Amino acid sequence: MSTYTNNAQQRICLLIEELAGHEIEGRSLNSLSKSLGQSTGQTFRDLKNLEEIGWARQDEKSLWLMTEKAAHPAVKIQRNLQTVMGAVNKINKDYLGGNV
C-alpha cells in the first residue's frame, strides 16, 4: 500500500507551527532545530523554502519570523466564516424572526 505523505512537506508544516506566535521576537535557527528535533541544516533548508515563497524572513539579528503573507490563509478563513455567519443569521431572521 502506498503512502501519500512526504517527510519534507511534514517538516515544513511543523516549522510553520513553530514559527507561529513569534512574529515580533522571532526564533533562532538553533532554537527551531532543537524544538523540531532535527539538524540545523534541515531546518535552514526548510526556512529558505519558506523564505522563497514569502512566508518567512530573517531579521537583522538573524532571527526567523513569519511574514504577513503567511497569515493570508487564516484571514481568508476568517472572512469566509464571517460570510457564512451572515448567511446563517439572515436565514435565522427570515425563518424564525430572529427568535430561536
Side-chain angles (χ1 to χ4, degrees), residues 21-81:
H22 300 278
E23 293 75 27
I24 304 299
E25 71 279 10
R27 297 278 305 271
S28 71
L29 175 61
N30 288 335
S31 169
L32 288 165
S33 296
K34 186 174 182 178
S35 293
L36 294 166
Q38 62 190 36
S39 72
T40 55
Q42 279 182 321
T43 304
F44 185 73
R45 190 178 318 113
D46 293 342
L47 285 164
K48 294 303 280 184
N49 275 278
L50 288 175
E51 183 178 51
E52 180 69 24
I53 64 167
W55 276 42
R57 68 176 180 84
Q58 203 171 13
D59 70 7
E60 64 281 349
K61 297 178 186 174
S62 296
L63 298 175
W64 287 91
L65 306 97
M66 289 181 74
T67 66
E68 298 81 14
K69 185 176 180 181
H72 288 180
V75 171
K76 287 180 180 180
I77 291 168
Q78 182 181 24
R79 286 183 185 149
N80 184 55
L81 290 173

Side-chain angles (χ1 to χ4, degrees), residues 7-22:
N7 289 338
Q9 292 172 346
Q10 296 294 314
R11 282 196 325 267
I12 291 280
C13 292
L14 294 172
L15 178 56
I16 290 168
E17 288 182 349
E18 283 295 321
L19 285 169
H22 300 278

